[in-house]
Amino acid sequence: MSSTIREADLGTKVTPLPARAAANTPVPLDHHIARNPGLKLDLGFLESVRSVNRSALERRVASLTKRRSIKADNQAAWLLRAIACMDLTTLNSNDTEERVRRLCAKAINPLRRDIMEGLGIAGETIRPAAVCVYHPFVATAVDAVRGTGIHVAAVSTAFPHGLAPLSTRLQEIEASVKDGADEIDVVIPRGLVFGARWRELYNEIVSMRAACGDAHLKVILGTGDLATLRNVMLASMVAMMAGADFIKTSTGKESVNATLPVGLAMVRAIRAYFEETGYLIGFKPAGGISTAKVSLDWLVLMKEELGRPWLEPDLFRFGASSLLTDIERQLEHHLTGHYSANHRHAMA
């Protein structure tokens, strides 16, 4: 189905194709991304994207990570971009309100003052895009980051397994939105994917999107549980058809979390959806992304596959808890030539 027909069906104007630009080209402050309204479930389109060549994806990933070497000042600049695209996260069983406040304090001041001065950016505002917490801590986080521009994301819908009744999961979304969360990370029941119950999965995500209201919806696929890249591709497409603003790899609780081949399959689903509809969907890898080097691999993947717009927090996020510490250590090494101990970089 052509994007012209899609536009006519929806009665809205789709976003024009974003121009390809160099990685260091700033995005205008007034840029606007039209929110994905979703589509009717199109099983024919779903069938057209079901074939996934794992070996080709793995070769592409290998070529990206070997071809691109980012060094010196360029590396420092890309690591600062990684901070700006980060959802700084605490999702532990021992979380407390005080721990969440410390996390928010770190989000407001992610780098030590001497590092900022050494990089010549002491007057700049560089902060993670959001803090991500469980529902009981949403109000605490909202209060702690008020006025800073940092978003508050809540993991929801019986995270991390998604096996509670749908009514319960929707009530949890509504409660988090009421407490001030402006982003909701929901998890899908993986059994719906295994059973190819696409209509049921689509309807659940549509209901979740409605419960979010103006809050943005990030749909966690739990890719480590989905077994095949075909399942990842199809689940990604159903989530976008149902109105997801972002698709996200993992909860961070699976035995296998974000991997580059899985990420490549998902970003190619995003590209296919864009080519079909004109709508730009965000991507969030999460789980196991704990080093600066790995974050650079992900940024290169986004730039090479989707282009400059996907290096902005509006369309790309890292779900991370310990990544910020390693980035701060790498930036200190860039300035001094020496690595510092982790304990010198305060974290929650």
Side-chain angles (χ1 to χ4, degrees):
M1 185 178 293
S2 71
S3 52
T4 303
I5 296 174
R6 295 284 191 198
E7 184 175 347
D9 288 345
L10 293 167
T12 56
K13 186 175 181 180
V14 299
T15 305
L17 180 70
R20 293 275 175 169
N24 60 352
T25 304
V27 172
L29 294 178
D30 61 350
H31 78 287
H32 177 70
I33 296 172
R35 191 174 185 190
N36 175 32
L39 308 170
K40 292 181 179 179
L41 182 62
D42 186 341
L43 296 178
F45 184 46
L46 206 60
E47 180 66 21
S48 72
V49 299
R50 70 189 303 271
S51 297
V52 182
N53 188 329
R54 173 181 283 275
S55 61
L57 292 181
E58 291 174 345
R59 287 195 302 271
R60 172 62 171 160
V61 164
S63 73
L64 286 174
T65 56
K66 290 177 180 176
R67 249 183 338 111
R68 296 294 187 181
S69 181
I70 305 172
K71 302 294 185 184
D73 288 348
N74 286 331
Q75 183 182 95
W78 280 69
L79 291 178
L80 293 174
R81 172 57 48 180
I83 293 174
C85 292
M86 191 180 300
D87 282 2
L88 195 59
T89 301
T90 182
L91 297 172
N92 301 307
S93 59
N94 61 349
D95 282 343
T96 63
E97 289 187 356
E98 185 54 35
R99 180 182 177 86
V100 169
R101 290 190 189 98
R102 292 198 303 269
L103 183 82
C104 293
K106 183 64 175 178
I108 294 169
N109 294 290
L111 297 174
R112 293 201 325 258
R113 182 179 300 176
D114 61 306
I115 294 177
M116 296 282 284
E117 292 172 351
L119 293 172
I121 55 172
E124 301 295 328
T125 300
I126 295 176
R127 291 170 175 161
V131 293
C132 184
V133 297
Y134 280 116
H135 166 71
F137 306 108
V138 168
T140 299
V142 168
D143 184 64
V145 301
R146 194 182 307 278
T148 65
I150 298 171
H151 297 283
V152 174
V155 295
S156 192
T157 61
F159 180 93
H161 302 299
L163 295 178
L166 178 61
S167 59
T168 301
R169 287 180 278 147
L170 296 179
Q171 288 170 6
E172 187 179 3
I173 293 173
E174 292 167 352
S176 292
V177 172
K178 184 177 180 180
D179 281 357
D182 53 1
E183 298 179 358
I184 303 293
D185 290 28
V186 304
V187 61
I188 64 170
R190 280 62 133 191
L192 298 182
V193 177
F194 291 133
R197 293 153 61 186
W198 304 122
R199 173 66 61 184
E200 189 174 346
L201 176 61
Y202 174 88
N203 288 341
E204 285 203 1
I205 298 174
V206 166
S207 297
M208 294 173 188
R209 164 67 186 270
C212 285
D214 292 334
H216 276 213
L217 173 67
K218 303 196 201 91
V219 177
I220 309 169
L221 304 183
T223 54
D225 292 339
L226 293 186
T228 68
L229 289 177
R230 175 178 294 173
N231 283 341
V232 170
M233 174 67 80
L234 295 175
S236 297
M237 196 60 69
V238 171
M240 291 185 287
M241 288 180 179
D245 297 295
F246 271 71
I247 52 175
K248 176 178 171 182
T249 61
S250 317
T251 64
K253 308 296 185 181
E254 295 92 1
S255 58
V256 178
N257 292 293
T259 66
L260 288 169
V262 161
L264 181 53
M266 293 175 69
V267 301
R268 287 192 172 174
I270 289 172
R271 189 166 67 191
Y273 187 83
F274 170 79
E275 290 170 350
E276 182 74 4
T277 69
Y279 286 98
L280 286 69
I281 308 300
F283 176 61
K284 179 178 173 179
I289 303 173
S290 58
T291 68
K293 181 181 183 303
V294 171
S295 74
L296 293 175
D297 290 341
W298 283 101
L299 289 172
V300 168
L301 173 67
M302 301 309 294
K303 174 63 171 63
E304 292 287 319
E305 285 290 320
L306 293 178
R308 178 63 180 83
W310 275 268
L311 294 181
E312 295 292 325
D314 286 344
L315 289 172
F316 181 66
R317 302 284 181 85
F318 291 107
S321 54
S322 57
L323 174 61
L324 180 55
T325 297
D326 193 60
I327 288 177
E328 196 173 14
R329 291 180 71 240
Q330 294 296 331
L331 291 173
E332 182 168 4
H333 179 269
H334 171 69
L335 294 172
T336 67
H338 301 285
Y339 286 107
S340 61
N342 279 359
H343 68 259
R344 295 194 63 237
H345 303 275
M347 193 58 197

